[in-house]
Amino acid sequence: MDGDSQGRDLCQLAQWLRQDTTIRTGATITLQPAPPTAGEMGTALDVIALITQTGFSAASLALAISAWRRTRPSTPVVTIERNGVRMTVDSGEPAEVARLVRALESE
């Protein structure tokens, strides 16, 4: 996520995901510090980690993130990483949501 309200937005997205029954029953959601880059101390919480269970729905996650973004006054950019592949979500267009689902479901 980008912007001055990064920490607040991150916590609110984590809470949003925890309140979504489909996401909550298929994944464990935690806030974690991102690994620091060279020269950084890395004390801020800036990663939402999802440990998914069998049957977890990537489509439900993509729709939940898209719905959360639509509730924000200034739509935050969300970066998702899975298996070393990073994807930035900066719109709620159906084609982007479909692209996100494909990226999340690929191995």
Side-chain angles (χ1 to χ4, degrees):
M1 289 187 197
D2 298 324
D4 295 336
S5 62
Q6 177 181 4
R8 183 181 69 238
D9 285 343
L10 187 73
C11 290
Q12 290 173 348
L13 175 56
Q15 185 63 29
W16 181 276
L17 295 174
R18 287 180 185 125
Q19 291 174 348
D20 185 295
T21 305
T22 305
I23 304 300
R24 174 178 74 225
T25 57
T28 302
I29 302 159
T30 60
L31 289 169
Q32 299 179 351
T37 59
E40 290 183 341
M41 294 182 69
T43 59
L45 290 176
D46 52 1
V47 173
I48 296 175
L50 276 87
I51 300 172
T52 60
Q53 301 169 6
T54 303
F56 178 76
S57 171
S60 294
L61 176 61
L63 291 172
I65 291 170
S66 180
W68 174 78
R69 289 182 74 246
R70 286 191 305 269
T71 69
R72 314 305 306 151
S74 60
T75 313
V77 174
V78 176
T79 301
I80 299 167
E81 183 174 342
R82 180 173 186 260
N83 296 334
V85 176
R86 294 179 73 121
M87 180 178 171
T88 300
V89 180
D90 56 11
S91 80
E93 298 297 319
E96 183 173 43
V97 173
R99 182 174 61 98
L100 174 58
V101 170
R102 285 191 305 275
L104 290 171
E105 289 178 340
S106 68
E107 287 292 334

